[in-house]
């Protein structure tokens, strides 16, 4: 995942969206889930040009406005979806292989750590039969 500057994003025009998404809480929950299942969460630098670089040939282009959702690499001719291309570049920057995001094995149930609770913040309890 990209290591985003959540505090810096909260001072921009996107502040309401960033706070509504609960990005910091999501990241901490993701870290806990990764630890629970024996996975490693890899963060890449926030200045990595993931949406500006062709994931096929590696040619780097300049920044694009957010309304540009699809673009074509002039070097290799590949048509990219902005988000999918960025995801591929994040994966490469983290040093992950092609099958690295697939589940290797099934794990059994485990207790819910990291402040996971039922609705409205109350712990879940078995119901009486």
């Amino acid at each position: 995942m990209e290591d985003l500057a959540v505090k810096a994003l909260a001072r921009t025009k996107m502040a309401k969206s960033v706070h509504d998404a609960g990005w910091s809480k999501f990241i901490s929950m993701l870290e806990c889930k990764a630890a629970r299942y024996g996975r490693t969460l890899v963060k890449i630098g926030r200045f990595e040009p993931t949406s500006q670089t062709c994931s096929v040939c590696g040619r780097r282009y300049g920044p694009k406005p957010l309304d540009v959702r699809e673009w074509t690499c002039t070097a290799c001719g590949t048509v990219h979806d902005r988000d999918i291309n960025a995801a591929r570049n994040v994966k490469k920057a983290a040093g992950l292989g092609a099958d690295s995001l697939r589940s290797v094995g099934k794990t059994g149930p485990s207790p819910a750590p990291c402040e996971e609770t039922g609705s409205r913040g109350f712990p879940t309890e078995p119901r009486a039969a």
Side-chain angles (χ1 to χ4, degrees):
M1 70 174 286
E2 287 179 289
D3 183 26
L4 300 176
V6 178
K7 287 183 182 180
L9 286 172
R11 292 188 299 254
T12 66
K13 291 188 286 184
M14 297 178 10
K16 186 175 183 327
S17 299
V18 170
H19 287 302
D20 285 349
W23 192 250
S24 294
K25 184 64 177 175
F26 170 71
I27 292 169
S28 65
M29 290 173 69
L30 195 57
E31 288 171 335
C32 286
K33 296 246 182 212
R36 178 194 312 173
Y37 293 107
R39 305 282 191 226
T40 302
L41 182 66
V42 180
K43 293 182 184 178
I44 66 165
R46 65 182 65 139
F47 300 110
E48 192 76 29
T50 57
S51 61
Q52 302 172 14
T53 305
C54 175
S55 60
V56 175
C57 70
R59 179 159 182 207
R60 184 173 173 189
Y61 295 88
K64 297 167 194 57
L66 289 175
D67 64 332
V68 176
R69 305 311 305 163
E70 196 172 86
W71 58 279
T72 304
C73 175
T74 56
C76 68
T78 305
V79 177
H80 293 289
D81 175 271
R82 179 189 187 109
D83 298 325
I84 294 171
N85 180 63
R88 288 181 178 138
N89 286 328
V90 166
K91 194 173 170 182
K92 282 181 187 175
L96 302 175
D99 62 350
S100 63
L101 300 181
R102 294 186 188 145
S103 179
V104 176
K106 302 285 183 185
T107 59
S110 59
C114 305
E115 304 173 16
E116 286 186 33
T117 59
S119 66
R120 296 183 182 87
F122 297 106
T124 57
E125 296 178 17
R127 294 184 180 183

